[in-house]
Amino acid sequence: MSKAARNELIDLFFRFQQIVQSLKTLPSLQDLTPEHEALLNLVGAYWHAGDTLSVRQAMRSEHLGSPATIHKRLQYLRNLGLIDLQTSEQDSRKRMIVPTAEAISFFSGQAKAIKSVAKQTA
């Protein structure tokens, strides 16, 4: 890879990062840490696949922290208005985590950032 091509890719990466960071200036996203964002992205991945993530499943995600830490992060995301907890239709003891419209807007904004940077490479 030529130096010019490599520099162009690096430039695109930092433009993408700048766009994503500007998304995080929205009031509910200002205090979103990388750990909270990883958990939100997990919830979003399940939602995007047409499924929902249960609280119990989230608690078993060791790469996101201990169950107590994950529970605190879920509460934090809920307080920010990014997730809701719903009772499962199949089992009333089971709580399902769903992204709110604000979280979906955040995902959409990130997708637009990717699309914008991708257009610049074409």
Side-chain angles (χ1 to χ4, degrees):
M1 177 182 290
S2 73
K3 185 175 180 179
R6 189 181 68 133
N7 286 342
E8 183 180 342
L9 286 175
I10 292 169
D11 185 50
L12 287 172
F13 170 77
F14 285 109
R15 277 190 263 163
F16 170 74
Q17 289 295 313
Q18 184 180 26
I19 293 168
V20 169
Q21 288 304 316
S22 70
L23 287 172
K24 293 180 183 179
T25 61
L26 298 171
S28 65
L29 301 174
Q30 287 179 345
D31 298 323
L32 200 62
T33 67
E35 295 81 12
H36 291 107
E37 189 174 345
L39 182 53
L40 181 61
N41 287 339
L42 179 63
V43 171
Y46 271 78
W47 168 81
H48 181 260
D51 202 0
T52 51
L53 179 69
S54 72
V55 171
R56 184 169 289 172
Q57 287 172 304
M59 299 281 194
R60 289 193 298 248
S61 301
E62 294 177 2
H63 67 283
L64 296 174
S66 70
T69 299
I70 293 169
H71 181 74
K72 287 178 187 174
R73 290 180 181 155
L74 286 172
Q75 188 61 41
Y76 187 77
L77 291 173
R78 193 169 179 210
N79 290 341
L80 288 178
L82 295 169
I83 62 168
D84 280 327
L85 299 179
Q86 297 176 346
T87 302
S88 169
E89 294 176 7
Q90 292 81 20
D91 184 348
S92 63
R93 298 169 294 172
K94 197 173 184 181
R95 304 283 285 174
M96 308 307 292
I97 310 164
V98 295
T100 63
E102 184 143 0
I104 294 167
S105 177
F106 174 67
F107 299 143
S108 176
Q110 287 190 326
K112 287 177 186 174
I114 292 168
K115 194 173 182 179
S116 170
V117 170
K119 281 183 184 178
Q120 295 171 13
T121 63

